[in-house]
Amino acid sequence: LSYADLTAPENAALDKQITFTPLISEWLGGFSYIHNVGSKIFLKTNYEAPRSKVIALDLTKPEMANWEQVLPQHEKNVLQYADCLNGMLLANYLQDAADKLSIYDFASPANLLKEIKLPDIGSVVGVAGRWDSAEMFYKFSSFADPGSSYRVDLTNFSDERLAVTKLAEGSPD
């Protein structure tokens, strides 16, 4: 895992070779970028956490001894996906073969703010939102629902169904 400081003079002109700095140079596990605030980056990883967790690293002191655990590994659920929305941490867990959406603050360690109630037992097949926006969208699918889209207001966690996928009636000829 490497990074590049695009504000550094040697990287300012994007028409030439960018200088990357190695952050993790040996295989420790999987690392997925979530977000950064200044020199602090947030990563989802399965390093020393087979069900995955979220950690924070400060690029000014990236040594492993300085890594912060933001969202620890859940005792039984698998963290499948994590993102940053409206200054909060969204975690998509697999719990008993069904998805579960949880929203945490970005403190260290993260505190649970809300669990988004999904319409049924099923899968979240897509999430969209931004760091600076107070809304998120997700698509949900289950055995009885081929796909419905939802909007969640992240200021009060109210939600609404926006669209429903309907299957054609009758059998094909």
Side-chain angles (χ1 to χ4, degrees):
L1 181 64
S2 299
Y3 71 96
D5 180 355
L6 297 180
T7 62
E10 66 271 15
N11 293 332
L14 296 178
D15 61 343
K16 61 180 185 173
Q17 185 74 27
I18 295 175
T19 304
F20 285 91
T21 304
L23 187 60
I24 301 169
S25 55
E26 62 182 288
W27 174 255
L28 300 174
F31 291 85
S32 300
Y33 172 82
I34 299 170
H35 188 70
N36 71 287
V37 177
S39 65
K40 185 180 273 193
I41 64 170
F42 297 88
L43 303 167
K44 174 188 166 282
T45 182
N46 63 359
Y47 172 66
E48 295 184 343
R51 291 180 302 282
S52 294
K53 63 184 177 181
V54 175
I55 62 170
L57 308 138
D58 190 329
L59 296 176
T60 62
K61 48 185 179 185
E63 298 78 23
M64 194 179 299
N66 298 323
W67 293 4
E68 294 176 55
Q69 182 169 261
V70 175
L71 185 61
Q73 172 180 255
H74 194 276
E75 68 259 5
K76 66 175 188 167
N77 300 337
V78 177
L79 178 62
Q80 299 187 109
Y81 172 78
D83 201 355
C84 182
L85 306 168
N86 196 36
M88 296 178 275
L89 179 63
L90 169 73
N92 182 358
Y93 287 103
L94 182 61
Q95 175 182 334
D96 300 325
D99 281 352
K100 174 182 168 184
L101 289 178
S102 301
I103 300 201
Y104 297 86
D105 67 11
F106 246 114
S108 184
N111 298 311
L112 179 65
L113 297 174
K114 181 74 174 174
E115 288 187 3
I116 303 297
K117 182 164 175 33
L118 297 176
D120 202 352
I121 295 171
S123 301
V124 174
V125 293
V127 175
R130 293 191 335 228
W131 165 259
D132 59 350
S133 175
E135 62 184 0
M136 98 172 190
F137 301 88
Y138 70 92
K139 186 164 186 177
F140 178 81
S141 178
S142 71
F143 181 74
D145 181 353
S148 295
S149 298
Y150 294 83
R151 177 190 171 274
V152 178
D153 182 334
L154 294 171
T155 59
N156 60 16
F157 301 108
S158 63
D159 65 340
E160 64 179 309
R161 185 160 63 178
L162 299 175
V164 179
T165 303
K166 297 192 184 236
L167 298 177
E169 293 191 25
S171 60
D173 293 328

